[in-house]
Amino acid sequence: MPTPLTRTLAGFTLAATALIATTTSAWSAGAADPARLRLTPTLMDRMEAAAADLRKLPRNEKKDDADDTEDAESVEDIARKLDALPQVRATLARHGLTSREYAAATLAALHAGMVLAVEKAPGAKPAHGLTPEQRANVEVMRARQTTKPAR
């Protein structure tokens, strides 16, 4: 049975409309750089609430837009694709989030979750090269993992 953290991360990636097939360029997106974004419990709560609402939206199965066939490679790419969906944009706004903030925070949470997952591997060594924000994000995710009740 998946843990709450796993379900949350899966929801974030799903809610980002499967756009998180990113490369390293997603981590160097200037002002919206997820490596410099500091997650907070309040931001995570808003993201979870938005993700829950986004999962309720009807899926658009039509894939005639050429832009949909390209992988998103930056926060801006993801935000642009989210902004192109009025229902998604409105849902995020109801939760006080912009598409850009949601995309950057989703990538930051995904990264922190991956660091946590790697830490659990046999013989794992501490992650090196993390920004102070990334280290703080790992701790926010670790705290959520222990305090969030199973659903």
Side-chain angles (χ1 to χ4, degrees):
M1 184 163 143
T3 66
L5 178 62
T6 304
R7 284 193 302 272
T8 298
L9 291 174
F12 289 155
T13 55
L14 176 65
T17 62
L19 298 176
I20 304 182
T22 59
T23 63
T24 6
S25 63
W27 303 112
S28 59
D33 184 359
R36 295 293 174 195
L37 187 138
R38 191 173 295 257
L39 298 172
T40 65
T42 302
L43 175 58
M44 294 297 296
D45 289 343
R46 289 180 14 227
M47 290 174 59
E48 281 184 6
D53 287 351
L54 289 170
R55 282 190 295 274
K56 296 174 189 172
L57 294 178
R59 300 271 181 233
N60 182 4
E61 300 298 327
K62 189 176 178 183
K63 296 282 184 185
D64 61 357
D65 186 40
D67 203 28
D68 283 343
T69 61
E70 299 174 18
D71 287 341
E73 293 199 13
S74 70
V75 169
E76 287 77 15
D77 289 342
I78 295 168
R80 182 176 33 77
K81 289 182 178 192
L82 293 172
D83 280 338
L85 304 167
Q87 288 182 310
V88 170
R89 193 173 54 243
T91 299
L92 294 176
R94 275 195 307 279
H95 293 281
L97 297 164
T98 65
S99 295
R100 192 169 191 213
E101 181 181 25
Y102 186 77
T106 297
L107 291 173
L110 181 63
H111 181 264
M114 289 188 298
V115 170
L116 283 174
V118 168
E119 284 180 355
K120 294 178 182 176
K125 300 202 181 342
H128 295 290
L130 298 179
T131 66
E133 294 87 352
Q134 288 171 321
R135 283 192 293 276
N137 293 346
V138 169
E139 294 311 314
V140 166
M141 295 297 279
R142 187 185 323 276
R144 288 183 81 75
Q145 193 174 35
T146 59
T147 61
K148 281 286 185 181
R151 289 182 214 160

